[in-house]
Each structure stands twice: as structure tokens, then as C-alpha cells.
Amino acid sequence: MKNRDMRIMLSDRITELFRLLQCGNTEIARFAGCSPSNISRLKRGLTRPKPGSRSALRLAEGIYRYADYENMLGMLGELCHTAETSAGTMVPAIAAWLYEESDYSPPRAVVPKSKLRLERQRQSFGERLDKAMTLLGITNGQLAGALNIDSSLVSRYRSGVLYPNRNEQIKERLCEHLMGRAERAKRRSSLRCAASRQKT
């Protein structure tokens, strides 16, 4: 097989593996201890290290460490045909799989732990926000107007689709507004009780 075809094969396998692991260049680069641009070049087929080279093993190590962190080694082992999940066994198995030229059957996808945590966080926040808004009789439009955001964003927060984890300003204004409404309606204790029941 020509070198160009081998690059395409390696690129395709990296792309498929990243899809299964639900990760990107940055995550793998962090665990591999290299630049995301290095991973990008491999994924795009612009470079192809030799099988067994330090670059190939570094990529395999990054993939292994990411899968280990995300509790996805079982799925990765199924893909690489090994039940042994130690680094000593799996890293060479991953590297060998990346350079295989045969077809393969992808394993059942597994949701990474970080995505599960985020999903639980969003759902918990949405449930609490919905309970507080219902208790205080606040509509999506009213809360959106108070926070100066779009009402569709409030709807996504309330349904658990989104969580304002990267916007401390919105979270602070949201809490202040809800507590202010509860104070005025003399329902602060009810709001606290509702939040307490939601945690349990």
C-alpha cells in the first residue's frame, strides 16, 4: 500500500476512534502530553509516524489515558481485541489497531464520565430552577427580562438542556433575582425547603 493510502487509513481510524470516545484533539493532546496541532495533523492525514515509533506510542498512550479517565477502557479493549486493561497491554494494542488495514466492527458506544457528570449537573440545575420558578410564579419571559437574556435560553436552562456553568454573572443575577422575588412574596423559607428536597 502506498504511503498516502496508509496516511488515509491511519487518519480514518483516528477519526473513528475519537468519535467512539466522544473526544477531540485537545483532550487527547492533554493526556498524550503534546500539542493539539500534532494530533490534528495525524487526524487529518498530514503526518504518519512509523508503527512502533515514539509518536505513534504517544498517541496510543494519550488515547489510553483519556479512556481510563473516562471509564471507557472496556469499550476500547473490545475494539482492540484485548480483555486486559493494563497500560502495558493496551497501549501496544491501540497502536497496532490504528495501523491495521482490515475492516472492523465498532463496539457499543459508551458515554464518557465527564459527559455523564455534566448531564446530571444540567438536569439537577434545571429541576431546581423549574421548581423555584413554579413556586414563585415566574414565567420564562419574566426571568429572561430580569436577567437581560433571551427567553429561549431560560427555557433551555429550565429543561436541563443547558447549564450556565461558564457564566458566573448570570448565575449570580439569577440567584439574586429568585431570592429577591421570594423575599417580596414572603416565600424564602418555601424556596429553601424546595431546594433542600431537590438535593435528597
Side-chain angles (χ1 to χ4, degrees), residues 33-35 46 49 56 62 83 86 123 127 131 145 166 180-181 194 200:
C34 65
S35 167
L46 299 179
S86 68
Q123 289 176 353
E127 288 167 3
K131 187 173 283 289
R166 293 176 182 253
R181 286 286 293 259
T200 58

Side-chain angles (χ1 to χ4, degrees), residues 18-74:
F18 282 21
R19 185 190 67 78
L20 288 170
L21 294 174
Q22 300 177 49
C23 65
N25 300 339
T26 302
E27 291 96 333
I28 298 301
R30 184 167 67 247
F31 283 92
C34 65
S35 167
S37 62
N38 291 344
I39 304 297
S40 176
R41 284 193 292 272
L42 290 167
K43 190 177 176 184
R44 290 159 58 201
L46 299 179
T47 60
R48 179 190 175 271
K50 293 181 179 179
S53 67
R54 179 60 195 142
S55 295
L57 289 175
R58 176 179 286 180
L59 172 63
E61 286 168 5
I63 291 168
Y64 173 83
R65 289 173 183 163
Y66 173 83
D68 186 27
Y69 177 79
E70 293 289 4
N71 197 31
M72 300 177 80
L73 287 179

Side-chain angles (χ1 to χ4, degrees), residues 7-155:
R7 285 202 301 270
I8 292 171
M9 178 66 75
L10 177 62
S11 170
D12 289 344
R13 292 226 165 195
I14 292 172
T15 299
E16 175 63 12
L17 186 52
F18 282 21
R19 185 190 67 78
L20 288 170
L21 294 174
Q22 300 177 49
C23 65
N25 300 339
T26 302
E27 291 96 333
I28 298 301
R30 184 167 67 247
F31 283 92
C34 65
S35 167
S37 62
N38 291 344
I39 304 297
S40 176
R41 284 193 292 272
L42 290 167
K43 190 177 176 184
R44 290 159 58 201
L46 299 179
T47 60
R48 179 190 175 271
K50 293 181 179 179
S53 67
R54 179 60 195 142
S55 295
L57 289 175
R58 176 179 286 180
L59 172 63
E61 286 168 5
I63 291 168
Y64 173 83
R65 289 173 183 163
Y66 173 83
D68 186 27
Y69 177 79
E70 293 289 4
N71 197 31
M72 300 177 80
L73 287 179
M75 184 272 286
L76 193 57
E78 184 183 343
L79 184 69
C80 299
H81 309 295
T82 176
E84 174 58 54
T85 58
S86 68
T89 299
M90 285 203 73
V91 169
I94 295 166
W97 181 85
L98 288 170
Y99 285 88
E100 279 181 10
E101 298 174 28
S102 59
D103 292 333
Y104 64 91
S105 299
R108 179 181 62 85
V110 178
V111 180
K113 287 192 298 184
S114 60
K115 289 182 173 60
L116 285 173
R117 283 195 299 270
L118 182 59
E119 179 65 23
R120 285 194 294 268
Q121 188 178 42
R122 285 198 304 257
Q123 289 176 353
S124 177
F125 174 81
E127 288 167 3
R128 292 181 191 181
L129 178 60
D130 179 65
K131 187 173 283 289
M133 290 176 67
T134 301
L135 183 67
L136 298 173
I138 304 173
T139 66
N140 291 353
Q142 289 170 334
L143 185 58
L147 300 179
N148 196 29
I149 60 177
D150 192 90
S151 60
S152 65
L153 185 57
V154 173
S155 177

